[in-house]
Amino acid sequence: MGKNKHQVLYLHNFFCMSKCLSIDLPVSNPIFFSPFRQKVFRVIPQNDEQVAIINSLASNIEVDFWQPDSVTLVRPKMQVDFRVEADTSFEVEDLLKESGMEYRVLIDNLQAAVDAQFDSKARTTSHSYEKYNNWETIAAWTADIAAQNPDLVSRSVIGETYEGRPMYILKMGKSGPNKKAIFMDCGFHAREWISPAFCQWFVKEAVETYGKDTVMTTLLDSLDFYVLPVVNIDGYVYTWTNDRMWRKTRSKNAGSHCIGTDPNRNFNAGWCTLGASKRPCDSTYCGSAPESEKETKALADFIREHLSTIKAYLTIHSYSQLLLFPYSYTYKLPSNYEELKSIAHAAAKQLASLYNTKYTYGPGATAIYPAAGGSDDWAYDEGIKYSFTFELRDTGRYGFILPESQIKPTCEETLLAVKYIANYVLEHLY
């Protein structure tokens, strides 16, 4: 028996013993974690045996994969970021040391990192573009920004969430006949807080620079922008009240105590084939059917209703510094692959021009990993040929816990890429 097989066996026995010893203890809520002294590790498995160790780890203890977002996607030579509970972190580290696997601790104390993310100088209780705003504040802001800019912004409701919250969308642009539109959403995955921050920033820049910045003025005169600031509102609320690391929606699953569906595995684009799970307890659970979630159904219905006018689809996630385009559910390349690649190349170059932040770009399946049921692939297959996913800062130093002091630079640089894409679309309407 090889050394690594011994380790897998040891791991199994160790965690089995832990579970057996605690069998009479009351079971805590399976979806609530106290981040006290939790750690985030980065490992780079070199071969299939080391991948097997990570798989064994994930099947024996609570492991939250940050990147890739499921253990099933782990491959040799891939950078893997994952979070473990405080009570198992030392054993995990011992195991990694013993296995000889290349690893480092990205975040030594997650609670300290969570506290430290609120480092903005703007410590106001009201809305601020340079800090993370809770849902109540964002909802009030959507009303305010529309009321303050009636000739440029209007707010409507496209549906409601599982928990009954209204899903607000902002329509931005000067009124005019037969205008084409660009659709942009943020906040698919609840813990990716930098994402809704960007949607708010984009709206701010539009209203503040209209009439001053020639590109923004031309864009708003010639196009409409539909901006959905938070898709997964229930999940986002939950990250503020219960579990900062929550990802999915908050819907109940029949026959399971586990809550939620991954909204970005819930679209009818190769649904639940690659890189998605059929198990409700998994973070990449694809749902009981395509558009089973009220939030994804509302978004898809809205796009279908406006399909004749929507010419580009942009969806904002974090983290990894990537600019992705279809496909993610197949390795097949889209028909306008060369065009999408050249747009992504130029947009990434624009983004890097400000703070030299390096983005990688390409089709989702090859640039990161295959994942079926994503909104970008679905939009593309609906006929929206300019469809892009942004994965914002950073590359893992903070991961989902990006400090507020990085909101401004992140949004400023991302704005350059979004404006480039929007302007390209305007010049290549179809």
Side-chain angles (χ1 to χ4, degrees):
M1 193 189 249
K3 184 179 175 221
N4 285 358
K5 291 197 174 69
H6 275 302
Q7 283 160 351
V8 171
L9 207 65
Y10 155 78
L11 185 70
H12 177 74
N13 292 340
F14 169 79
F15 288 115
C16 177
M17 185 176 73
S18 323
K19 283 176 182 171
C20 299
L21 289 174
S22 63
I23 205 153
D24 292 322
L25 294 174
V27 177
S28 65
N29 182 340
I31 51 178
F32 178 70
F33 304 103
S34 157
F36 180 67
R37 287 305 293 196
Q38 292 178 357
K39 282 184 165 56
V40 179
F41 289 95
R42 168 166 292 171
V43 301
I44 304 176
Q46 293 302 314
N47 51 42
D48 289 332
E49 279 192 75
Q50 292 189 342
V51 169
I53 291 173
I54 296 171
N55 272 282
S56 180
L57 191 70
S59 59
N60 284 292
I61 61 160
E62 186 87 56
V63 178
D64 170 26
F65 284 87
W66 283 22
Q67 188 192 325
D69 40 25
S70 163
V71 68
T72 58
L73 299 165
V74 175
R75 299 285 179 269
K77 307 272 194 281
M78 179 187 271
Q79 200 168 266
V80 181
D81 299 349
F82 62 86
R83 170 179 69 96
V84 293
E85 296 298 311
D87 56 358
T88 54
S89 65
F90 295 108
E91 286 78 18
V92 169
E93 191 157 3
D94 287 346
L95 177 95
L96 292 174
K97 274 180 193 149
E98 203 191 317
S99 73
M101 209 181 309
E102 194 183 322
Y103 85 93
R104 68 187 178 102
V105 178
L106 279 182
I107 300 175
D108 182 53
N109 180 346
L110 191 64
Q111 183 60 57
V114 166
D115 296 340
Q117 76 188 319
F118 296 109
D119 65 348
S120 166
K121 302 292 171 275
R123 275 274 66 88
T124 161
T125 51
S126 60
H127 182 273
S128 168
Y129 292 105
E130 292 186 39
K131 67 183 187 74
Y132 295 122
N133 299 297
N134 63 22
W135 171 244
E136 203 179 326
T137 306
I138 296 171
W141 165 83
T142 60
D144 293 342
I145 202 85
Q148 288 155 16
N149 304 275
D151 52 342
L152 216 51
V153 186
S154 62
R155 181 180 85 156
S156 53
V157 175
I158 65 163
E160 62 171 36
T161 66
Y162 178 81
E163 291 177 350
R165 295 180 175 92
M167 294 176 68
Y168 296 116
I169 197 161
L170 296 173
K171 180 184 182 181
M172 300 168 47
K174 277 289 181 193
S175 62
N178 327 315
K179 286 179 78 185
K180 301 306 182 199
I182 291 176
F183 185 101
M184 181 167 71
D185 62 52
C186 293
F188 251 83
H189 291 135
R191 62 192 180 185
E192 298 168 9
W193 283 10
I194 188 61
S195 166
F198 177 71
C199 269
Q200 293 163 72
W201 187 276
F202 179 79
V203 173
K204 166 190 92 80
E205 283 294 314
V207 300
E208 284 180 5
T209 66
Y210 178 80
K212 301 183 185 111
D213 176 90
T214 51
V215 177
M216 188 64 92
T217 305
T218 303
L219 288 173
L220 293 165
D221 282 343
S222 315
L223 294 167
D224 288 327
F225 287 83
Y226 293 113
V227 179
L228 187 58
V230 186
V231 175
N232 178 12
I233 302 165
D234 297 345
Y236 187 70
V237 168
Y238 195 76
T239 60
W240 282 80
T241 58
N242 293 60
D243 177 8
R244 176 65 184 83
M245 289 297 112
W246 189 255
R247 168 185 168 92
K248 300 190 285 181
T249 62
R250 294 294 304 160
S251 56
K252 287 189 169 69
N253 291 308
S256 173
H257 67 282
C258 291
I259 297 289
T261 286
D262 182 339
N264 207 35
R265 299 292 187 281
N266 193 232
F267 286 79
N268 201 2
W271 180 75
C272 221
T273 49
L274 292 169
S277 170
K278 291 185 164 67
R279 295 196 300 262
C281 295
D282 290 352
S283 64
T284 55
Y285 176 51
C286 61
S288 56
E291 297 176 29
S292 60
E293 303 309 284
K294 290 183 75 174
E295 298 84 354
T296 56
K297 175 88 165 65
L299 191 160
D301 281 346
F302 182 88
I303 290 178
R304 278 189 288 260
E305 282 162 26
H306 297 83
L307 208 48
S308 62
T309 58
I310 295 174
K311 298 301 172 187
Y313 173 78
L314 306 176
T315 182
I316 314 295
H317 289 253
S318 79
Y319 62 99
S320 284
Q321 292 171 200
L322 300 165
L323 180 48
L324 307 172
F325 50 84
Y327 283 105
S328 289
Y329 73 82
T330 174
Y331 287 101
K332 186 186 84 181
L333 295 176
S335 59
N336 61 334
Y337 166 73
E338 291 299 339
E339 184 184 22
L340 292 174
K341 189 172 81 166
S342 76
I343 296 168
H345 170 80
K349 196 174 166 184
Q350 283 289 315
L351 189 149
S353 70
L354 196 55
Y355 299 108
N356 204 25
T357 307
K358 299 278 187 275
Y359 267 56
T360 304
Y361 58 90
T366 50
I368 35 171
Y369 40 75
S375 63
D376 52 351
D377 284 356
W378 173 81
Y380 183 84
D381 282 348
E382 286 289 304
I384 301 173
K385 71 178 191 180
Y386 302 116
S387 180
F388 294 95
T389 295
F390 282 81
E391 295 279 355
L392 303 185
R393 291 191 192 184
D394 56 7
T395 54
R397 165 69 184 85
Y398 296 102
F400 303 118
I401 315 294
L402 195 71
E404 286 177 326
S405 52
Q406 289 197 41
I407 293 175
K408 184 174 187 276
T410 301
C411 292
E412 287 173 335
E413 67 193 8
T414 309
L415 180 72
L416 298 180
V418 169
K419 279 168 76 171
Y420 175 83
I421 293 170
N423 201 56
Y424 182 95
V425 172
L426 176 59
E427 290 171 359
H428 298 81
L429 288 175
Y430 54 98

